[in-house]
Amino acid sequence: MNCSRLLCRNGLAVAAAAAAMWTALPAHADDTADIKALVKTMTDYVASQKSISFDMETDLEIVTTSGQRLSLESSGAMDVSRPDKVRAERKGGFADVEAVYDGKTLSLLGRNLNLYAQIPLAGDLDHLIDELRDKYGRPLPAADLLKSDSYEQIMSGATDIAYLGPGVILGQMCEHVAMRNDDVDLQLWIAQGDKPYPCRYTITSRTIPGQPQYSVEIWNWKSSAEPGSADFTFTPPAGAQAIEPAKLDNIDELPSHLTPKN
């Protein structure tokens, strides 16, 4: 690994010291019910907001067959108007994508490709999230946090639930919560105050070799109990070509040349 010896030594030393300190700490005194209530406060708050907009940064980690860990970074933004409208944008090193859902049709635009596809898909936000994940294999960023039943999604099978204390994400003071289930470890940073939105959500795989992580960081959060006024009408750019959804490749966070081959 081409890092300086000092940096490598210092980083490992800090990690080792932190691990030793955590191992030596007694069990946290906070009751599990209180920690669950903290998460419930966040999910209830998010689900109650008719209008939501935020900026986000995603970090998709992959592990090569030789064990090297690599991070793929993307930036984006999202507008939501419940019950059934979404506009999401994401730009990374391999794709520049816009998704617009008006409650009846999902439109996907590969800006860097000047190609778009449209899928008839009637339903609410929960239905859109499920269809994108289960049928099309293209989950929305932060989707677990936006569903009306996100508390059940997050807490299903959760064990080792712990409150780790306060933390700061992009200047926002947060409450840091961790838990795990059979497949993944989860961490949540929840904003303090009267707008307990999720500042960061990190998922660490426990079943994939190398235990890669996926993290979503959220800021510039705006929400309201009233429907938003964002435009959820899709207008293809000049010269963009309409194609079948199955042919709209290379718009995912994981590019095709880094996808494992069977």
Side-chain angles (χ1 to χ4, degrees), residues 37-189:
L38 179 62
V39 177
K40 188 71 162 56
T41 297
M42 180 205 75
T43 57
D44 285 351
Y45 164 75
V46 173
S48 70
Q49 303 306 298
K50 298 295 185 183
S51 170
I52 298 172
S53 67
F54 56 85
D55 294 325
M56 60 185 170
E57 185 87 14
T58 64
D59 179 0
L60 173 64
E61 191 174 75
I62 61 175
V63 180
T64 68
T65 54
S66 64
Q68 184 179 13
R69 302 168 75 96
L70 306 172
S71 292
L72 304 179
E73 307 285 342
S74 297
S75 295
M78 187 173 295
D79 287 285
V80 175
S81 183
R82 298 186 190 275
D84 60 0
K85 292 178 176 58
V86 178
R87 179 181 292 274
E89 302 176 358
R90 180 180 55 79
K91 186 174 184 178
F94 304 99
D96 186 355
V97 185
E98 179 181 24
V100 181
Y101 183 59
D102 62 5
K104 297 179 180 179
T105 303
L106 172 66
S107 301
L108 298 170
L109 170 66
R111 286 193 180 122
N112 55 320
L113 305 171
N114 212 26
L115 300 173
Y116 71 94
Q118 294 187 292
I119 303 169
L121 183 61
D124 60 9
L125 177 61
D126 286 358
H127 181 66
L128 171 68
I129 289 172
D130 290 340
E131 287 287 286
L132 280 175
R133 181 193 61 227
D134 300 335
K135 186 174 181 179
Y136 297 101
R138 289 174 172 167
L140 276 177
D144 288 345
L145 307 174
L146 297 174
K147 293 193 68 176
S148 59
D149 63 346
S150 62
Y151 179 79
E152 287 75 17
Q153 296 285 322
I154 293 170
M155 301 302 297
S156 177
T159 62
D160 296 335
I161 301 169
Y163 172 69
L164 304 182
V168 179
I169 304 295
L170 297 173
Q172 172 65 53
M173 185 64 73
C174 304
E175 307 289 6
H176 186 187
V177 174
M179 65 200 78
R180 60 181 10 187
N181 60 34
D182 290 341
D183 300 322
V184 298
D185 292 342
L186 304 175
Q187 294 184 78
L188 268 169
W189 286 259

